[in-house]
Amino acid sequence: MSETPVDSALAVLAILARETGIAASKINETTELVGDLGIDSPWALQVLVEIEDELDIEINDDEVANLHTVGDILKVVATRFPAPS
Amino acid sequence: MQSNHSESRRYPWFVAPAAFLVRVLLSTLLRTCRVVEISGELHLNALAESGRAAVFTFWHNRSNYCGYFLRKRWIGAGRPLGIITSLSRDGEIAARTARANGFQVVRGSVGGGGLAGLKALHRMLRRENVSVLSVADGSRGPVYQAQAGVIVLAQTARAPLVPIGYVASSCWRLGSWDRMIVPKPFSRIALAIGEPIEYPERLAKEELGRAQAALKDALDELTKQAKSGL
């Protein structure tokens, strides 16, 4: 399990890169899941479950309804790993 | 748990009485039908004994009797069963009918970009150990084409996928996209329950395509099998 927001963001990018075959360096916050990465709903479920398992978190139904870009995923994940104050 | 998507929506006044009428008429009609054959019942019994949550799947146009049968056999035995209905007005009628029949309902869509719906069913399966119904050809078709969603749902939740077919000796066909089957009163019903399908932890795209074709074959074969039981 990642311990910092940076680790968790890197883990998400690594999963997206692995799943899509697109280099992590070419994926950023504005990258669209469907339009840019071509991730349809069934595939997106697979990706989200992988993120949940790897980071040991749960993304709830309401949050899932608002995931359109990589940045949206990173924002949700960041709430589970708040930066130390 | 039920999704609260529907609670923030307003539906016309007639939705509640329409749901009541649908429930009464459909259950009265289906109650007059007589099941004369259930092949593969052992699969259902084995699943029940295992305590594992499963994904039950069938063609969309056969959802009314399959849902009725599973309600009797699964919910009737005290086992929870989840279902998803769309956010449309028709979906609201279906949701009210399903809740009144003891189903756990989430709102959304599995097909057509319905990630939230898929994820909600996944949560039911994996976190709550609740079995779910999910139509193989989705809520909009094309008819008799197995979609990827139901397979990925079972695969990611590590749940067995149980295909079911049924035929009625006499039925109406509605004018919907899938030509929904409604058994006529007092018709004979034959059901065929397929062997549960277990998927590996990961499915590559081409493997997923093969799994979709195999699921279509399984459902078509079960329909044939059910026909021979009439």
Side-chain angles (χ1 to χ4, degrees), chain B residues 44-57:
Chain B
L44 208 56
N45 297 338
L47 262 177
E49 276 174 31
S50 75
R52 286 181 73 193
V55 181
F56 297 105
T57 192

Side-chain angles (χ1 to χ4, degrees), chain B residues 57-230:
Chain B
T57 192
F58 31 80
W59 295 129
H60 189 277
N61 62 15
R62 285 168 163 75
S63 49
N64 55 31
Y65 202 88
C66 286
Y68 176 76
F69 170 75
L70 287 166
R71 177 195 144 209
K72 283 205 302 183
R73 296 298 294 269
W74 206 256
I75 298 175
R79 300 182 189 93
L81 195 53
I83 193 171
I84 188 164
T85 72
S86 73
L87 293 167
S88 68
R89 191 179 62 197
D90 289 351
E92 176 66 11
I93 292 173
R96 286 171 185 251
T97 306
R99 278 192 201 108
N101 282 326
F103 288 90
Q104 295 187 22
V105 179
V106 290
R107 305 298 303 279
S109 156
V110 170
L115 174 59
L118 269 178
K119 186 67 172 54
L121 289 178
H122 181 273
R123 169 180 47 73
M124 279 181 146
L125 283 160
R126 198 157 121 169
R127 310 269 179 197
E128 299 163 20
N129 201 39
V130 171
S131 296
V132 302
L133 308 186
S134 185
V135 285
D137 42 357
S139 56
R140 290 181 212 153
V143 66
Y144 300 142
Q145 296 299 316
Q147 295 190 1
V150 68
I151 294 166
V152 174
L153 176 64
Q155 173 228 332
T156 53
R158 316 294 299 131
L161 181 67
V162 185
I164 302 177
Y166 100 87
V167 290
S169 58
S170 177
C171 68
W172 289 292
R173 301 296 295 258
L174 302 186
S176 51
W177 63 268
D178 61 342
R179 302 204 60 231
M180 174 73 77
I181 293 170
V182 181
K184 287 185 177 172
F186 306 104
S187 45
R188 287 171 291 118
I189 301 281
L191 290 127
I193 299 163
E195 192 172 339
I197 305 166
E198 303 271 1
Y199 294 104
E201 201 169 331
R202 294 193 57 76
L203 279 174
K205 272 212 158 170
E206 58 276 15
E207 290 171 321
L208 186 57
R210 283 198 289 274
Q212 286 174 251
L215 178 58
K216 175 186 166 45
D217 290 347
L219 285 166
D220 289 344
E221 183 55 37
L222 288 166
T223 305
K224 271 189 214 158
Q225 209 175 308
K227 264 182 200 156
S228 67
L230 278 181

Side-chain angles (χ1 to χ4, degrees), chain A:
Chain A
M1 178 176 160
S2 302
E3 291 175 353
T4 71
V6 174
D7 286 342
S8 60
L10 289 175
V12 169
L13 292 177
I15 289 168
L16 288 169
R18 189 166 69 225
E19 280 287 335
T20 60
I22 296 172
S25 58
K26 291 188 176 165
I27 302 173
N28 59 48
E29 289 190 346
T30 61
T31 304
E32 291 184 7
L33 299 175
V34 179
D36 297 326
L37 298 181
I39 298 180
D40 57 13
S41 293
W43 195 4
L45 176 65
Q46 197 160 305
V47 170
L48 287 184
V49 169
E50 206 167 319
I51 290 170
E52 285 185 328
D53 288 349
E54 196 156 322
L55 299 179
D56 196 19
I57 60 171
E58 188 175 357
I59 300 172
N60 66 43
D61 300 350
D62 291 337
E63 290 170 327
V64 172
N66 295 314
L67 298 180
H68 306 291
T69 65
V70 172
D72 294 334
I73 298 180
L74 294 177
K75 269 183 214 153
V76 170
V77 170
T79 63
R80 310 300 197 272
F81 301 96
S85 51

